[in-house]
């Protein structure tokens, strides 16, 4: 965590407490997630209680309190995906990465999570990797996508 980065974010706002969501979005944009250290530093600089900051950060699903991998995989568990085999997709991602949902691989390359809905019902079961949606998935397709990303990184 760079305190200089957080200082420059805080300087943009006359009242950081009134703009706490925007401040946290920018902190997450810089660091990829909102660390405990970031929260403590924001408290130190602004006087906003850490309990308030954590309350906001933990309430909104868009905020992450743990680091994510270079490739953030979100497996849809919504109704259409569930009916069409989302559980098998999640099991495949878990097996291929060797980590539980919510965790990050040792090399920092992948993290994955189950989400309520990606809005990709017409191509269910679906997952999203960063900003790219993948649909009509099978366990073999999922393994192939992950292995292709690994190959790209090895280059």
């Amino acid at each position: 965590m760079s305190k200089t980065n957080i200082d420059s974010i805080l300087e943009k706002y006359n009242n950081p407490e009134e703009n706490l969501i925007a401040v946290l979005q920018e902190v997450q944009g810089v660091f990829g997630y909102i660390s405990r250290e970031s929260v403590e530093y924001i408290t130190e600089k602004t006087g906003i209680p850490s309990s308030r900051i954590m309350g906001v950060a933990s309430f909104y699903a868009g905020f992450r309190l743990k680091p994510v991998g270079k490739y953030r995989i979100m497996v849809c568990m919504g109704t259409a995906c569930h009916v069409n085999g989302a559980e098998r997709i999640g099991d495949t991602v878990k097996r291929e990465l060797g980590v539980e949902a919510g965790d990050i691989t040792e090399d920092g390359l992948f993290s994955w999570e189950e989400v309520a809905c990606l809005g990709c019902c017409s191509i269910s079961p679906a997952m999203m990797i960063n900003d790219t949606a993948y649909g009509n998935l099978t366990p073999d397709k999922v393994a192939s996508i992950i292995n292709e990303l690994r190959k790209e990184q090895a280059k």
Side-chain angles (χ1 to χ4, degrees), residues 71-77 85-107 110-114 127 129 137-147 150:
Y71 297 105
R72 180 181 177 213
I73 302 173
M74 294 175 283
V75 177
C76 184
M77 294 293 170
E87 188 175 327
R88 292 182 316 143
I89 302 309
D91 289 345
T92 302
V93 171
K94 177 181 172 180
R95 184 180 65 250
E96 288 295 316
L97 300 183
V99 297
E100 297 290 329
D103 289 338
I104 187 169
T105 57
E106 215 171 278
D107 59 7
F110 295 96
S111 60
W112 80 283
E113 59 203 84
E114 295 177 344
M127 69 180 181
I129 301 178
L137 295 172
T138 63
D140 287 343
K141 227 175 166 180
V142 170
S144 176
I145 292 165
I146 291 171
N147 288 325
R150 282 190 173 124

Side-chain angles (χ1 to χ4, degrees), residues 31-146:
F31 301 108
Y33 73 108
I34 299 166
S35 69
R36 187 77 190 142
E37 295 81 21
S38 295
V39 170
E40 289 168 6
Y41 187 70
I42 292 168
T43 294
E44 176 186 316
K45 295 296 283 187
T46 66
I48 303 168
S50 59
S51 60
R52 172 150 165 60
I53 297 170
M54 288 302 294
V56 170
S58 62
F59 178 79
Y60 292 102
F63 291 124
R64 296 181 296 278
L65 301 174
K66 293 167 71 173
V68 294
K70 178 176 181 176
Y71 297 105
R72 180 181 177 213
I73 302 173
M74 294 175 283
V75 177
C76 184
M77 294 293 170
T79 303
C81 289
H82 174 75
V83 168
N84 288 311
E87 188 175 327
R88 292 182 316 143
I89 302 309
D91 289 345
T92 302
V93 171
K94 177 181 172 180
R95 184 180 65 250
E96 288 295 316
L97 300 183
V99 297
E100 297 290 329
D103 289 338
I104 187 169
T105 57
E106 215 171 278
D107 59 7
L109 200 55
F110 295 96
S111 60
W112 80 283
E113 59 203 84
E114 295 177 344
V115 297
C117 184
L118 292 172
C120 298
C121 304
S122 65
I123 58 170
S124 66
M127 69 180 181
M128 201 161 210
I129 301 178
N130 297 342
D131 294 325
T132 304
Y134 297 86
N136 302 308
L137 295 172
T138 63
D140 287 343
K141 227 175 166 180
V142 170
S144 176
I145 292 165
I146 291 171

